[in-house]
Amino acid sequence: MRIAQVAPLYESVPPKLYGGTERVVAWLTEELVRRGHEVTLFATADSLTSAHLVAPYKRALRLDPARPDPVALHTVELAQVFRRAAQFDVIHCHVDYLAFPFGRLVPTPVVHTLHGRLDLKSLAHVFREFSDVPLVSISESQREPVGSLPLNWVATVHHGLPLDDIPFRPAPGRYLAFLGRISPEKRVDLAIAVAKRVGLPLRIAAKVDVSDGAYFEREIRPLLDHPLIEFVGELGDDEKVTFLGEALCLLFPIDWPEPFGLAMIEALACGTPVVARPCGSVPEVVRDGVTGYLGESVDELARAVKRIDLVDRARCRADVEERFSVGAMANRYEVAYRKVIG
């Protein structure tokens, strides 16, 4: 198939540091190329890909000191994509609803993977207008806030990892890990509370967006002044794999309807179990009592950490191989492409 992959411009593909959506686009693109598809990737010029790269802008927007207007640049990107629509058998967009109107203007089938939360009231207006647009969710729970709307769901496709790049570590480490963003809904404060409760070191590998800077300074920075807590900042891919693999477990105490939670399967792929709150997609990803534990309160999460040695790290890896490999993800997307083409 001739496939266009349309990535957000906030990060390169793959990202240099943090960036879930762009990382998934990178993995999917490389796997589709490996399978013999003719893939064109629309992404920033600092991206690295085996596909044909079309770059609407020179670098990842988040790392650009000029702070360009993201709406303007994504508009340019979509103009470049749909001007070439006849060159593709299918166009796969990862920019949420921005591409919805464009897809109606071309005969080429267009499918949209929604990577964000769908519980925002403003989105209902968009979905009512574009109820015919072919959509892919990244978890079943992601659909729940718009479950009453008659939307055109083509598939649910869980994210998948290139496991050859992630070594399995059979021996548990001695610290707790937190990976992601510092923001109110990610609840790093709960991770810190759990670490203090169980008396184990917590290493925090996370980015702080400009929009979360005040929250970080007001609520989180004072909590970092403790001998058990270490803030290590953002990590590149190689550093992240080591960070997760050498941890006792990943703490994922979120307080929002997480659409997927890539950090969970990255940890599990290393063999590192996950202790999490059962919000959003978490119960779809973590098998309670098998690949980790679920709990609501700090007490429940702390008790889970204390029995984490009962979780078989090899079973964590095997579960990812079975359900969350890049091959499994690509298989499902190929089915979705044929469905919208057919």
Side-chain angles (χ1 to χ4, degrees):
M1 282 182 277
R2 299 172 302 163
I3 305 168
Q5 293 290 334
V6 185
L9 303 176
Y10 298 107
E11 306 286 347
S12 61
V13 176
K16 303 297 186 292
L17 296 168
Y18 185 88
T21 299
E22 295 86 353
R23 183 163 280 108
V24 171
V25 173
W27 292 333
L28 176 60
T29 296
E30 295 307 304
E31 178 64 13
L32 291 173
V33 170
R34 191 190 68 79
R35 294 181 178 205
H37 295 290
E38 184 181 328
V39 185
T40 300
L41 172 65
F42 293 83
T44 54
D46 52 349
S47 299
L48 298 174
T49 181
S50 300
H52 173 60
L53 178 64
V54 176
Y57 192 64
K58 57 187 176 183
R59 67 169 67 94
L61 301 187
R62 185 170 71 90
L63 303 178
D64 190 338
R67 299 291 178 190
D69 180 354
V71 175
L73 291 174
H74 281 97
T75 301
V76 171
E77 177 184 35
L78 293 172
Q80 294 181 1
V81 172
F82 287 93
R83 186 173 68 239
R84 297 170 169 83
Q87 301 173 15
F88 308 117
D89 297 313
V90 63
I91 297 171
H92 187 179
C93 293
H94 301 266
V95 293
D96 291 323
Y97 58 80
L98 291 179
F100 287 4
F102 291 85
R104 282 181 168 176
L105 302 177
V106 297
T108 303
V110 183
V111 64
H112 307 261
T113 294
L114 302 178
H115 291 266
R117 64 191 301 174
L118 303 183
D119 61 326
L120 305 178
K121 291 182 178 179
S122 59
L123 293 179
H125 301 288
V126 176
F127 288 128
R128 288 192 184 98
E129 172 62 29
F130 294 97
S131 60
D132 59 314
V133 168
L135 303 175
V136 172
S137 53
I138 58 176
S139 66
E140 293 296 335
S141 69
Q142 185 190 28
R143 300 186 187 189
E144 292 176 3
V146 291
S148 62
L149 299 177
L151 302 182
N152 183 16
W153 293 111
V154 175
T156 290
V157 181
H158 290 145
H159 294 332
L161 301 165
L163 291 167
D164 289 345
D165 298 335
I166 303 176
F168 168 62
R169 294 179 180 265
R174 298 183 178 181
Y175 62 84
L176 310 176
F178 178 95
L179 177 69
R181 282 185 293 116
I182 302 292
S183 59
E185 69 272 15
K186 295 291 189 176
R187 298 305 303 264
V188 68
D189 58 314
L190 292 184
I192 293 171
V194 170
K196 292 178 180 178
R197 184 71 56 89
V198 299
L200 289 171
L202 171 67
R203 302 187 69 202
I204 301 169
K207 76 165 183 173
V208 182
D209 281 333
V210 174
S211 59
D212 294 315
Y215 165 76
F216 174 72
E217 294 297 333
R218 182 182 66 252
E219 302 291 340
I220 303 304
R221 188 179 290 280
L223 302 178
L224 303 179
D225 187 20
H226 189 281
L228 287 176
I229 311 304
E230 179 185 4
F231 180 70
V232 299
E234 289 189 69
L235 300 178
D237 281 350
D238 292 342
E239 296 172 303
K240 180 173 62 176
V241 168
T242 300
F243 170 78
L244 290 172
E246 294 181 351
L248 175 66
C249 71
L250 173 73
L251 292 181
F252 201 75
I254 59 170
D255 193 20
W256 72 298
E258 176 82 64
F260 187 81
L262 193 58
M264 291 186 288
I265 64 170
E266 290 176 317
L268 294 173
C270 297
T272 300
V274 178
V275 172
R277 301 184 74 228
C279 299
S281 65
V282 170
E284 287 180 52
V285 178
V286 178
R287 292 181 167 172
D288 193 19
V290 179
T291 61
Y293 296 110
L294 306 181
E296 289 282 0
S297 66
V298 169
D299 284 343
E300 290 174 348
L301 296 173
R303 285 197 294 270
V305 170
K306 290 178 179 178
R307 64 180 190 276
I308 202 66
D309 59 328
L310 300 177
V311 175
D312 183 355
R313 290 175 70 93
R315 186 69 187 88
C316 293
R317 173 71 175 209
D319 194 59
V320 174
E321 292 173 345
E322 178 184 341
R323 299 197 294 149
F324 303 117
S325 70
V326 69
M329 176 175 64
N331 288 342
R332 296 186 186 104
Y333 273 122
E334 286 178 328
V335 172
Y337 298 157
R338 293 188 185 102
K339 185 174 182 179
V340 297
I341 291 171

